[in-house]
Amino acid sequence: MDLCDLSVIRELLDAHGLRMQKSLGQNFLIDPDVPRRIAEAVGEADEVLEIGPGIGCLTAELCRAHPRVTAVELDAGLIPVLSETLAEFSNVRVIHGDILKTDLAALFEPGSRVAVCANLPYYITTPILMELIASPVPFVSLTVMVQAEVAARFTAPPGGRDYGAVTVALGAYGTVRKLFSVSAGHFYPAPKVDSAVVRITPRETPLLAEKEKPAFRSVVRAAFEKRRKTLANALAALPHGRSKEELGEILSSLGYPADVRGERLSPEDYAILTRLLFPQ
Ligand code: SAM
């Protein structure tokens, strides 16, 4: 069964009395080359966690390429469809649930090398990625399709308009690389914008200790909340007991002008700044 064939998709949905649900970000891939390329890009892993399998076109490719696959799908209507479309595979388990409410650590054996792979639902791309990078599961890689402009934000270098709190959060977690673009015409229904597949590889040595993460998040959030403000002004409201002048001096000691704005600092410098302001 070609799960990227539009007539197959329509027949399956009709047979199960389903419609595509826009509110769940359902844009299914209709070019079999794309799920194949995404599954290949995942690299070495013992298990793959897929988010939002839809009718299973990417899931099937993941099952062919990897030892075990766990797919979490929110749409209850798609669960019986997936039992049908993935019937030939014995290395898959499909879980009905919301990825944001799923206890990921409970799904995998400690020590298992788990990779994430997904054509993410666009309405919650960032919340899902923030949840994944905060998860106690030490993922070996995250290979995800996101909207092209979101990919540009994820991979933006410091200093530009695309560089923001999400860029810093992902940069603190690991390296983000754009692998390839996928134009809107490869989806049904076609979204308004093009997409891109990105690969996030966690740092071998984490940039932050677990106990430093809450302070890091509040520093980064404050830095980007009002982008027009200087960083010293933006950080003045946080409970670190430093004056704006002292904040300016700290930034100078890191090699920046005292009136630098938040988008100039690298994730590494945000980690240093967090330690200076909130020593543990
Ligand atoms: N993997 C399929 C493909 O590539 O054609 C479908 C991808 S579609 C962009 C996103 C999928 O995520 C949909 O099947 C949707 O129902 C599912 N989804 C949406 N929100 C979700 C959530 N919170 N947790 C798990 N799955 C979700």
Side-chain angles (χ1 to χ4, degrees):
M1 197 177 339
D2 179 357
L3 298 174
C4 287
D5 183 322
L6 200 45
S7 55
V8 171
I9 297 174
R10 287 197 177 116
E11 269 168 37
L12 276 167
L13 294 178
D14 277 355
H16 289 264
L18 301 173
R19 282 164 178 236
M20 303 286 290
Q21 299 211 49
K22 209 175 162 193
S23 64
L24 292 182
Q26 291 182 352
N27 299 93
F28 294 168
L29 282 164
I30 52 167
D31 174 352
D33 274 349
V34 181
R36 215 171 287 144
R37 286 181 74 192
I38 301 175
E40 275 168 16
V42 169
E44 286 274 299
D46 300 322
E47 315 206 28
V48 179
L49 166 65
E50 190 196 2
I51 298 151
I55 61 161
C57 67
L58 176 57
T59 328
E61 293 301 337
L62 291 170
C63 289
R64 288 188 186 106
H66 299 282
R68 274 194 304 279
V69 177
T70 297
V72 179
E73 173 56 59
L74 178 58
D75 185 350
L78 290 173
I79 305 301
V81 179
L82 287 161
S83 330
E84 195 177 319
T85 57
L86 301 174
E88 68 185 276
F89 301 105
S90 55
N91 58 341
V92 64
R93 62 178 161 165
V94 174
I95 294 171
H96 172 222
D98 180 343
I99 193 67
L100 296 177
K101 296 182 184 150
T102 303
D103 179 358
L104 298 177
L107 292 181
F108 305 104
E109 292 291 322
S112 177
R113 292 176 313 152
V114 185
V116 172
C117 185
N119 170 12
L120 286 173
Y122 294 158
Y123 74 109
I124 44 166
T125 299
T126 300
I128 290 177
L129 283 175
M130 293 303 112
E131 191 73 20
L132 292 171
I133 68 173
S135 155
V137 180
F139 297 115
V140 289
S141 64
L142 297 87
T143 307
V144 291
M145 174 121 70
V146 299
Q147 288 183 326
E149 67 255 35
V150 175
R153 282 211 295 278
F154 288 178
T155 54
R161 270 184 52 197
D162 282 338
Y163 188 78
V166 174
T167 327
V168 176
L170 290 176
Y173 178 75
T175 51
V176 188
R177 200 157 62 88
K178 180 180 159 185
L179 300 183
F180 55 91
S181 301
V182 180
S183 62
H186 292 287
F187 298 85
Y188 174 77
K192 290 196 179 72
V193 292
D194 292 339
S195 293
V197 175
V198 297
R199 189 166 203 269
I200 304 164
T201 312
R203 288 171 186 262
E204 274 176 25
T205 311
L207 181 64
L208 297 156
E210 212 48 53
K211 62 179 181 185
E212 292 174 325
K213 288 183 180 173
F216 180 82
R217 278 195 285 267
S218 60
V219 167
V220 175
R221 198 180 311 119
F224 289 95
E225 226 158 36
K226 298 208 170 68
R227 293 181 73 116
R228 291 235 194 106
K229 282 192 177 184
T230 66
L231 185 54
N233 267 331
L235 296 178
L238 294 178
H240 42 61
R242 313 289 181 110
S243 66
K244 277 180 205 164
E245 290 66 34
E246 287 170 315
L247 287 166
E249 282 161 24
I250 290 176
L251 291 168
S252 301
S253 76
L254 293 177
Y256 295 99
D259 62 352
V260 68
R261 290 177 205 280
E263 66 260 23
R264 292 274 309 282
L265 270 68
S266 64
E268 290 78 5
D269 283 340
Y270 272 110
I272 296 171
L273 186 59
T274 302
R275 283 184 199 119
L276 290 171
L277 294 180
F278 299 100
Q280 301 282 330

